[in-house]
């Protein structure tokens, strides 16, 4: 009786471990672009090394954005973005931690809501993001858009430049997850 | 019966533990996978000039900086009720980033009609968490002294080549923390000709510059030089400058209090004729505006 239980115990342990590894997906080169539209100036920057992990079992998702990896058309903006606005020496990363509500790991094409917490400049805000999820043989493709209010994250713009930088920044993202192997 | 209970409880515990492990694991994976590559330190100084001298910064490829530098001062003897200031000098300059690390620039100063060209190469860049603790930039300037009978002049020359002087600088800087950066500048100056035999043709100098950031867009900067063999024929002083640098998107504004009306290294390092104080004739107010264009 005891031996049987022990065996069962071991099987559950093993299966739970193997399951976890099998159903974790990762994207090391996720793409995030942000836009700031104002009548005076349009600013755009792209980050192509966003790290994201997806647990296909329960739909949990985590994203890490290295702020220094955003590239601007105007190279001087890169310095100002990191030095004066994001202060990436103090807050090097933005993190999103959340869950895809009612995630169906088998569905080919689905539109869902991601509920979670978004941390930028050390300030965490709850977010809900509509995402489009496509499943191919080996990949999950997730893309969507969100809007970040600069006031929510204490990004201060000098009054003299307030016409140049939008109050709401449009962010679009594009991830391609492949199976994660340790 | 008891054993069964115990086993059931242990299963339950295991379930809780494994699920909590799974919850943590995403962030753990992020931590594990996150890039650990060293990053180059950015913005050791806000501009390509600290105050008078060049900073270690170079602008990125295909960027042009247009600069207008001006100084205003009063003369001690005259009282002609001029508006704001009795005298002014200016330098208009262009700098172009040929690569991310190599900049070429040229300028013209109204005082002594000095034309200058320079090349700047960013040899070593400080890293935030890597091996390089310093930034090193090489600067070579050539300046042509157009006027040779000026009060400020020590060059007696007729031909083009005799009016040339050369300055080589090694700019060594370190950003100590997010606000404080320091730069030392070993300098070698060579003039092709001199008026008086007592004057040296070659000079060695050591410059010090620093900035302290007081706001997100504003920094205080100061700078001075020690000259090992100053000019003998005229009385000269070390150049000094103290001021505020204000960065406004594409525009960089620099305000300064200084004791020199010159803009070119050769001139302000060896030919500063006033000591720094607030008397008329000695006090120079400087205003630099630099505009940045990306191609």
């Amino acid at each position: 009786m005891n031996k049987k239980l022990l065996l069962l115990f071991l099987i559950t342990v093993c299966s739970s471990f193997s399951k976890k590894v099998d159903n974790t997906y990762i994207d090391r080169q996720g793409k995030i672009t942000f836009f700031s539209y104002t009548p005076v100036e349009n600013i755009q920057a792209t980050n192509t090394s966003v790290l994201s992990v997806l647990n296909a079992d329960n739909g949990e998702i985590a994203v890490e954005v290295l702020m220094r990896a955003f590239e601007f058309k105007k190279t001087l903006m890169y310095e100002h973005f990191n030095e004066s606005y994001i202060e990436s020496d103090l807050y090097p990363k933005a993190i999103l931690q959340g869950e895809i509500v009612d995630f169906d790991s088998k569905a080919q094409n689905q539109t869902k809501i991601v509920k979670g917490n978004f941390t930028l400049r050390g300030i965490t805000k709850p977010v809900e993001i509509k995402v489009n999820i496509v499943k191919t043989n080996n990949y999950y493709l997730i893309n969507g858009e969100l809007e970040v209010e600069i006031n929510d994250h204490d990004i201060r713009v000098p009054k003299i430049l307030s016409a140049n930088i939008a109050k709401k920044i449009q962010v679009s993202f594009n991830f391609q997850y492949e199976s994660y192997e340790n | 019966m008891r054993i069964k209970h115990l086993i059931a409880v242990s299963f339950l515990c295991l379930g809780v533990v494994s699920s909590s492990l799974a919850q943590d694991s995403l962030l753990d994976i992020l931590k594990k996978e996150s890039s650990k590559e060293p990053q180059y330190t950015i913005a050791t100084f806000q501009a390509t000039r600290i105050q008078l001298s060049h900073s270690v910064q170079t602008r990125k490829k295909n960027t042009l900086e247009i600069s207008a530098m001006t100084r205003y001062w009063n003369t001690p003897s005259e009282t002609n009720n001029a508006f704001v200031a009795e005298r002014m000098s200016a330098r208009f300059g262009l700098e172009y980033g040929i690569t991310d690390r190599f900049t070429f620039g040229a300028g013209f100063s109204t005082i002594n009609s000095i034309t200058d060209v320079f090349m700047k190469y960013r040899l070593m860049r400080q890293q935030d968490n890597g091996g390089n603790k310093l930034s090193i930039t090489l600067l070579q300037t050539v300046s042509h002294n157009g006027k040779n009978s000026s009060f400020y002049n020590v060059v007696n020359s007729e031909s083009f080549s005799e009016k040339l002087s050369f300055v080589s600088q090694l700019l060594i800087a370190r950003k100590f923390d997010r606000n404080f950066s320091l730069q030392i500048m070993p300098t070698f100056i060579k003039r092709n000709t001199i008026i008086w035999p007592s004057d040296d043709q070659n000079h060695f100098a050591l410059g010090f510059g620093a900035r302290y950031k007081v706001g997100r867009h504003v920094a205080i900067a100061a700078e001075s030089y020690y000259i090992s063999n100053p000019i003998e024929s005229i009385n000269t002083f070390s150049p000094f400058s103290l001021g505020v640098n204000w960065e406004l998107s594409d525009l960089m504004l620099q305000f300064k209090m200084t004791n020199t009306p010159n803009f070119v290294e050769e001139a302000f390092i060896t030919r500063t004729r006033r000591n720094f104080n607030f008397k008329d004739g000695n006090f120079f107010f400087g205003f630099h505006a630099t505009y940045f264009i990306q191609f």
Side-chain angles (χ1 to χ4, degrees):
Chain A
M1 181 67 184
N2 273 350
K3 273 183 185 169
K4 269 185 190 172
L5 272 172
L6 195 68
L7 199 67
L8 194 69
F9 179 86
L10 282 175
I11 287 167
T12 0
V13 168
C14 290
S15 69
S16 80
F17 267 101
S18 63
K19 222 178 174 183
K20 203 174 96 189
V21 172
D22 279 348
N23 284 315
T24 305
Y25 288 79
I26 190 163
D27 183 4
R28 294 179 178 88
Q29 274 147 4
K31 188 176 161 188
I32 289 185
T33 303
F34 73 74
F35 308 90
S36 153
Y37 297 117
T38 64
V40 181
E41 189 173 25
N42 290 336
I43 299 166
Q44 180 183 339
T46 304
N47 185 335
T48 54
S49 55
V50 180
L51 186 63
S52 180
V53 200
L54 169 74
N55 184 341
D57 275 343
N58 51 14
E60 276 180 351
I61 190 166
V63 183
E64 179 192 280
V65 190
L66 194 63
M67 302 316 281
R68 284 280 300 266
F70 277 102
E71 285 176 14
F72 293 74
K73 273 184 192 150
K74 267 194 189 175
T75 52
L76 192 65
M77 277 183 185
Y78 171 80
E79 271 183 28
H80 295 165
F81 171 77
N82 285 294
E83 271 282 298
S84 310
Y85 296 98
I86 292 296
E87 297 181 287
S88 59
D89 52 340
L90 298 179
Y91 314 104
K93 289 163 187 174
I95 304 270
L96 177 90
Q97 199 187 356
E99 192 187 340
I100 305 168
V101 180
D102 300 328
F103 177 66
D104 179 358
S105 62
K106 302 277 189 305
Q108 289 255 308
N109 204 330
Q110 53 188 327
T111 302
K112 298 285 178 196
I113 299 284
V114 174
K115 269 191 188 169
N117 289 313
F118 176 59
T119 309
L120 173 63
R121 281 175 49 78
I123 299 168
T124 305
K125 296 276 170 187
V127 285
E128 287 191 14
I129 309 161
K130 197 167 123 184
V131 292
N132 190 31
I133 306 162
V134 176
K135 185 182 178 351
T136 65
N137 285 339
N138 306 315
Y139 300 113
Y140 282 103
L141 308 174
I142 298 185
N143 62 63
E145 279 173 17
L146 77 151
E147 210 172 60
V148 178
E149 281 197 46
I150 61 172
N151 287 337
D152 282 355
H153 297 278
D154 195 26
I155 299 168
R156 280 180 247 158
V157 180
K159 262 190 192 142
I160 197 163
L161 294 175
S162 61
N164 296 51
I165 296 166
K167 298 276 174 289
K168 288 178 180 173
I169 307 292
Q170 312 297 321
V171 181
S172 71
F173 53 89
N174 212 324
F175 297 118
Q176 179 175 337
Y177 296 90
E178 58 185 12
S179 184
Y180 179 62
E181 281 146 29
N182 283 300
Chain B
M1 204 55 190
R2 223 176 228 182
I3 289 167
K4 268 188 184 175
H5 271 292
L6 203 67
I7 286 165
V9 166
S10 70
F11 263 94
L12 203 68
C13 285
L14 186 77
V16 170
V17 167
S18 72
S19 74
S20 75
L21 269 180
Q23 257 173 13
D24 282 342
S25 72
L26 287 192
L27 286 184
D28 288 343
I29 292 170
L30 281 187
K31 208 173 272 177
K32 207 171 96 187
E33 292 291 327
S34 134
S35 159
K36 278 156 193 87
E37 275 176 42
Q39 300 269 4
Y40 289 114
T41 305
I42 53 169
T44 304
F45 294 95
Q46 284 166 305
T48 53
R49 312 274 168 152
I50 304 173
Q51 280 277 292
L52 305 165
S53 312
H54 281 270
S55 72
V56 287
Q57 300 294 137
T58 53
R59 289 302 178 213
K60 295 269 163 36
K61 193 180 174 181
N62 292 339
T63 56
L64 179 70
E65 274 194 349
I66 303 170
S67 59
M69 307 173 172
T70 52
R71 300 285 156 76
Y72 305 88
W73 69 98
N74 286 328
T75 51
S77 52
E78 294 168 44
T79 47
N80 60 2
N81 297 324
F83 179 65
V84 184
E86 288 164 355
R87 293 279 187 277
M88 82 164 279
S89 63
R91 176 187 181 273
F92 300 99
L94 294 174
E95 288 177 32
Y96 188 73
I98 292 164
T99 70
D100 286 358
R101 303 173 81 163
F102 184 71
T103 299
F104 183 81
F108 178 76
S109 318
T110 59
I111 189 155
N112 290 332
S113 303
I114 297 174
T115 311
D116 67 285
V117 293
F118 66 86
M119 287 178 290
K120 203 171 167 184
Y121 182 70
R122 191 137 206 218
L123 193 65
M124 195 166 104
R125 288 172 288 176
Q126 188 183 342
Q127 291 170 334
D128 281 347
N129 46 3
N132 289 353
K133 300 285 179 209
L134 294 171
S135 291
I136 298 177
T137 298
L138 306 174
L139 176 77
Q140 177 64 51
T141 75
V142 182
S143 58
H144 177 261
N145 227 57
K147 220 185 264 179
N148 60 17
S149 58
S150 155
F151 177 65
Y152 284 101
N153 216 337
V154 290
V155 183
N156 180 27
S157 51
E158 295 302 324
S159 74
F160 177 82
S161 71
E162 285 178 323
K163 291 180 179 178
L164 295 181
S165 23
F166 304 87
V167 177
S168 310
Q169 275 192 314
L170 190 64
L171 312 174
I172 305 164
R174 175 157 161 76
K175 189 175 187 178
F176 284 91
D177 61 31
R178 61 196 314 262
N179 295 323
F180 182 66
S181 304
L182 183 72
Q183 179 169 302
I184 30 180
M185 301 168 270
T187 306
F188 175 68
I189 299 161
K190 180 181 168 56
R191 248 188 293 280
N192 268 4
T193 47
I194 39 152
I195 307 177
W196 307 105
S198 63
D199 290 341
D200 289 327
Q201 249 177 292
N202 303 326
H203 298 267
F204 291 96
L206 185 62
F208 301 90
R211 74 107 196 229
Y212 191 81
K213 227 175 133 185
V214 290
R216 291 178 199 213
H217 303 263
V218 182
I220 293 174
E223 199 185 308
S224 190
Y225 275 87
Y226 164 77
I227 301 134
S228 71
N229 49 337
I231 288 173
E232 301 286 335
S233 63
I234 55 172
N235 202 9
T236 61
F237 293 89
S238 289
F240 173 81
S241 180
L242 172 67
V244 172
N245 297 344
W246 186 23
E247 160 257 302
L248 274 173
S249 181
D250 294 341
L251 190 64
M252 178 81 202
L253 302 178
Q254 296 177 298
F255 305 89
K256 62 201 68 188
M257 301 183 290
T258 179
N259 59 343
T260 174
N262 288 303
F263 302 96
V264 175
E265 279 76 11
E266 181 268 324
F268 71 70
I269 295 172
T270 61
R271 295 193 269 145
T272 294
R273 303 207 49 185
R274 310 288 187 187
N275 201 359
F276 182 76
N277 60 46
F278 293 98
K279 286 179 193 150
D280 276 356
N282 288 37
F283 180 76
F284 296 82
F285 175 75
F287 174 68
H288 292 193
T290 308
Y291 190 72
F292 175 93
I293 298 169
Q294 175 95 43
F295 290 103

